[in-house]
Amino acid sequence: MSFRTRFDVGSPFSRRASDLARSQFDAFSRQLPLLYLILVINSVAVAVTHVDSAPAWLAIYVPLAMCSACVIRLLVWLGRRKDLAARTDAELAARLKTMMRLLVVLGVSFTTWGLMLYPYGDPYEQAHVAFYMSITVIGCIFCLMHMRTAALLLTAIVIVPFTIFFLQTNNGVLIAIAINVLLVSIAMIVILLTYYRDFASLVESQTELRAKQAELQMKQAELQAQQVKLQKLSDENVRLANLDSLTGLPNRRRFLSDLEALFQSQTGRPTRFAVGVIDLDGFKQINDLYGHGAGDRVLEEVGQRLQRFLTPAMSLARLGGDEFGLLVTEVPDSQHLLRLGDAICEVLRAPFEWHGITARLSGSIGFATYPKAGRSPAQLFERADYALYFAKENRRGSTTIFSGEHEDTIRELGQIEQALRHADLEREMTLHFQPIVHVVRHHVISYEALARWNSPSLGPVAPSAFIKVAERSDLIHSLSIVLLRKALETMRGWDATTRVSFNLSARDIGSADAIGDIVTLIRQSGVAPARLTFEVTETGVIRNFERAALSLQTLKQLGVRISLDDFGTGYSSLTCIHRLPLDKVKIDRGFLEDIEADTAAQDIVRSILELCRSLKLTCVVEGVETVAQMNILRSLGCTVMQGYYFGPPMPMAEPQPATHEVL
């Protein structure tokens, strides 16, 4: 096999051949100086012993020329050794092939010179020539142990002529030497072949080991790359899991995690920080009027506006829906939170504009501070949420900070909730009825059924308190069913023309199951559905307008009447009137406080009355407490009223007339 064939690339065999050739080259590079040294020393020794017996050209000039060539070649080799190690496989193969030719030339030259020198001198000098040739070839074989082809070729060049030459001398000693050298050379060749095989196997094993190491390193690199990729993917998943996709803000999960971490950092003397919850007032109206796409656009802009307030001491998150959260880590005093909240509320009041549409809303904010308002993440967040609830109920569009008064209210509501959960609703709940009068026809046209609760443990509890607790604790449906059953039982004992209004909560009209129970109860009562009017609040309807509209339509088909209570306090009054199956509208009592002197309030009431007349809806004004209020309302065109002026809510077995004569 030629070196050219060996160094063809592209197959595992060529790779192994290349590694073997390079290993041979490395080993030969280390032994080549020794090879030249053996040739020079042995040749000089023979030449010195034949200086007096052989011609000068043969004893001096020829060995001097050959030894000089060896020295020069050795110097050239040493000078190129580093460059040769960096050459390509093909260049290395060519270089080794040149060395093979050079070894052949050297073998032929030194063998020929030795045989030509033999005839000169005495028997000792002749024996020296034989010794020179034998010891030199053995030394060269050792130097060429890693170059099998070169060693075999050099052995053949020297031993074959040497043996033939000395066998023809008819000298028994020289013949014995020739045979001895031949046998030793054969033994050396066997050793050479065995060593070369082991050397080649070792090189192949090293090559395979390096290949496996390279493969392992490649797999490790691939594994590391995959781990890096997986880590990046994991980091991205974590980022997305903690990010609100719509606004780009941290989400509820991240917010609560940051709150937990903030609590854990409060070692030693705790620092004061605050949790804030922002809720958008009127956002539901935007969704109902313009669609969820518009709602998403508003939420995006709200997120952008809120980010203007971000500082190293404040973080922001979207908690879900139209609710956002704040973490304020540096709170010098309550005024700082109030100023921050007022600034946020002011920014949120600015109009939202897109595609020629302009919408307005506001934001209510509740804050709770650590450690005063709570000593756990859950407690602090709940207190901030309660402060928000208080703001929406009492100061919509403003900021409320959780206080000791709120603490007392929560404690009181907690007691009410516990008592309500253990109450015997059938025995403890009663109904009072307040008349609704027609001031022109001078008679009571219906009664509003109002719940009353006398708790064995708490005593009389205000309806505003226990109704609120029932709505927030999911007890309202059970309460509504008990009270409606009592109202229907009372109506069965009254004249068939007497009508009753009954209040339904937002949770009642927001549940298909609750509406189904109400319909079943009415059908089983034996009371004509037309005698019953269900009152629903405007704010209750807009929580889930589509569900509420479907529930009210179901009740309407049964034959009952529908009244919209507290009209004018919500954000979608016109939407409610236009899209709901209404029979009656009740103007909120808040418009009556200064109606005698407040011309703006008079104009609003007059506008609502005209709207109801155009839509053929009955309009009721509630909260009338004085004759002056009644007279103003009559002058504005109102004919149906309700309030303490006409009679307070009272328990009664039979319908009673109004306590004042209607003038």
Side-chain angles (χ1 to χ4, degrees), residues 618-639:
T618 300
C619 182
V620 181
V621 180
E622 59 180 348
V624 180
E625 297 183 356
T626 66
V627 65
Q629 289 176 336
M630 184 194 70
N631 290 331
I632 286 291
L633 291 172
R634 285 192 66 173
S635 68
L636 295 175
C638 180
T639 59

Side-chain angles (χ1 to χ4, degrees), residues 117 132 441 497 539 609 661:
L117 196 62
Y132 156 73
R441 297 176 183 173
T497 60
T539 53
L609 289 169
E661 181 181 359

Side-chain angles (χ1 to χ4, degrees), residues 255-271:
F255 179 81
L256 296 178
S257 176
D258 290 346
L259 179 59
E260 180 72 31
L262 192 56
F263 263 86
Q264 293 177 357
S265 67
Q266 299 303 304
T267 57
R269 184 179 180 182
T271 58

Side-chain angles (χ1 to χ4, degrees), residues 20-36 73-74 76-86 92 95-96 99 103 143-147 199:
L20 178 59
R22 286 193 174 274
S23 298
Q24 289 175 318
F25 172 76
D26 292 338
F28 183 57
S29 296
R30 292 189 296 270
Q31 295 177 354
L32 185 61
L34 182 60
L35 174 64
Y36 284 124
R73 186 60 192 173
L74 176 60
V76 172
W77 175 269
L78 293 174
R80 295 180 178 178
R81 182 177 177 181
K82 293 183 180 180
D83 295 336
L84 290 173
L92 183 60
R95 197 65 193 163
L96 290 176
M99 288 300 304
L103 287 173
C143 292
L144 297 173
M145 291 290 285
H146 303 92
M147 303 286 291
F199 174 75

Side-chain angles (χ1 to χ4, degrees), residues 589-660:
R589 66 182 67 243
F591 292 106
L592 271 64
E593 293 179 357
D594 297 315
I595 195 168
E596 299 161 55
D598 190 346
T599 58
Q602 294 177 18
D603 291 339
I604 292 174
V605 171
R606 185 183 294 108
S607 299
I608 296 175
L609 289 169
E610 291 176 356
L611 176 65
C612 290
R613 276 194 293 269
S614 65
L615 295 176
K616 297 181 174 55
L617 299 176
T618 300
C619 182
V620 181
V621 180
E622 59 180 348
V624 180
E625 297 183 356
T626 66
V627 65
Q629 289 176 336
M630 184 194 70
N631 290 331
I632 286 291
L633 291 172
R634 285 192 66 173
S635 68
L636 295 175
C638 180
T639 59
V640 182
M641 305 180 194
Q642 177 184 353
Y644 272 75
Y645 176 74
F646 304 103
M650 296 178 62
M652 55 184 180
E654 293 290 339
Q656 300 293 324
T659 57
H660 290 75

Side-chain angles (χ1 to χ4, degrees), residues 84 91 140 178 283 312 320 462 519 639:
L84 290 173
E91 292 172 338
C140 291
F283 176 75
V519 170
T639 59

